[in-house]
């Protein structure tokens, strides 16, 4: 039987398997906090991946600059892109919505978001 998995890679590079909603919220808050207050800091990003042991993988990356990116791959080795990456600039709330949908495996709802390209 195919096993599904979800992994969060935080901005500091640490991986969290099967992250809770609270861990997702904390990782995003850390990212968006980097630019609040107007301080110049290096951009960072965190990535949520969801996939299956024997196939498809989806990637939702959020940058501290507010850039959101969604990718679809044939497998976890990123051998074959199944679609052009989708991008948008979003608020922390929009990033939370994206990751929440990823965590619940709602790929079709993610595809229907208001992406700037790749549809």
């Amino acid at each position: 039987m195919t096993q599904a998995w979800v992994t969060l890679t935080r901005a500091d590079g640490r991986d969290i398997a099967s992250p809770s909603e609270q861990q997702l919220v904390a990782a995003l808050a850390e990212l968006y906090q980097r630019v609040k207050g107007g301080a110049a800091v290096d951009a960072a990003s965190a990535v949520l991946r969801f996939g299956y042991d024997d196939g498809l993988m989806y990637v939702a990356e959020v940058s501290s600059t507010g850039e959101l990116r969604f990718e679809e791959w044939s497998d976890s080795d990123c051998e074959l892109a199944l679609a052009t990456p989708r991008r948008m600039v979003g608020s922390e709330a929009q990033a939370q919505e994206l990751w929440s949908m990823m965590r619940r495996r709602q790929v079709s709802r993610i595809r229907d978001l208001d992406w700037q390209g790749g549809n």
Side-chain angles (χ1 to χ4, degrees):
M1 179 172 206
T2 299
Q3 292 293 320
W5 50 267
V6 177
T7 302
L8 168 64
T9 303
R10 297 172 43 103
D12 62 11
R14 289 184 297 150
D15 285 338
I16 300 172
S18 302
S20 68
E21 195 73 26
Q22 293 82 8
Q23 287 171 313
L24 298 180
V25 168
L28 289 172
E30 178 184 323
L31 274 178
Y32 279 83
Q33 189 64 34
R34 295 172 77 90
V35 294
K36 290 180 182 173
V41 295
D42 292 332
S45 65
V47 180
L48 188 65
R49 291 177 181 82
F50 137 60
Y52 300 94
D53 287 342
D54 64 349
L56 301 173
M57 181 179 70
Y58 304 93
V59 179
E61 181 176 7
V62 178
S63 168
S64 59
T65 61
E67 295 175 57
L68 311 180
R69 180 180 169 109
F70 178 67
E71 301 173 355
E72 300 180 55
W73 294 93
S74 62
D75 59 27
S76 60
D77 293 329
C78 301
E79 289 184 14
L80 178 64
L82 300 178
T84 303
R86 293 165 168 88
R87 294 180 171 89
M88 74 169 78
V89 175
S91 66
E92 187 173 346
Q94 288 170 306
Q96 287 175 0
E97 178 184 14
L98 171 63
W99 277 9
S100 183
M101 285 188 279
M102 279 278 287
R103 192 169 168 271
R104 293 188 310 258
R105 304 177 192 155
Q106 297 175 324
V107 175
S108 61
R109 286 190 61 203
I110 293 170
R111 289 181 186 133
D112 289 339
L113 293 175
D114 190 20
W115 298 102
Q116 295 170 347
N119 290 344

